[in-house]
Amino acid sequence: MEMHLSKRRAGVLVGAVVAVAVGVGGAAVAGSGGDDDAGDREITGPALQEAEREALAETGEGRVTGTEVEDEESYYEVEVTLEDGSQVDVQLDESFQVVGTEADDESGGD
């Protein structure tokens, strides 16, 4: 009888460990899931002011409509909406030097 109780406790313990592992694994997958913007961090503080200044100097016009720290292409990304409604992503390194620009074509066309 004692042996049966130990096996049962072991089964409950294994079930609990599996449930926790699945829960943690599921949370990790959800945290890195399909939404590309889910993990984005906006630029803040003095870095935001410097990044905006450099991005607007690069585009020569427009207004900043989005920012991101540690973007996949650079350390900082600043999205600028131009007067004609088009958007340009300005890529900056950690020293706020422009390392690239890209027209943000969301129309799906070529």
Side-chain angles (χ1 to χ4, degrees):
M1 187 83 159
E2 187 69 36
M3 179 78 114
H4 179 68
L5 188 56
S6 295
K7 286 182 181 181
R8 184 172 186 181
R9 284 187 183 168
V12 169
L13 180 60
V14 168
V17 169
V18 168
V20 169
V22 167
V24 170
V29 169
S32 65
D35 185 1
D36 290 340
D37 296 331
D40 292 354
R41 291 185 308 136
E42 292 185 3
I43 306 170
T44 60
L48 175 60
Q49 295 171 347
E50 184 67 22
E52 286 179 338
R53 182 176 23 258
E54 294 302 324
L56 292 173
E58 177 69 16
T59 61
E61 65 166 304
R63 63 185 170 82
V64 173
T65 52
T67 66
E68 185 178 342
V69 177
E70 295 181 356
D71 178 64
E72 56 274 350
E73 286 104 24
S74 63
Y75 192 78
Y76 297 112
E77 178 181 271
V78 180
E79 180 184 87
V80 178
T81 300
L82 304 177
E83 292 173 9
D84 66 2
S86 64
Q87 295 178 333
V88 176
D89 292 337
V90 180
Q91 307 297 328
L92 305 167
D93 66 13
E94 290 181 67
S95 301
F96 303 99
Q97 300 297 308
V98 174
V99 295
T101 59
E102 180 179 341
D104 193 8
D105 179 19
E106 295 185 5
S107 67
D110 291 309

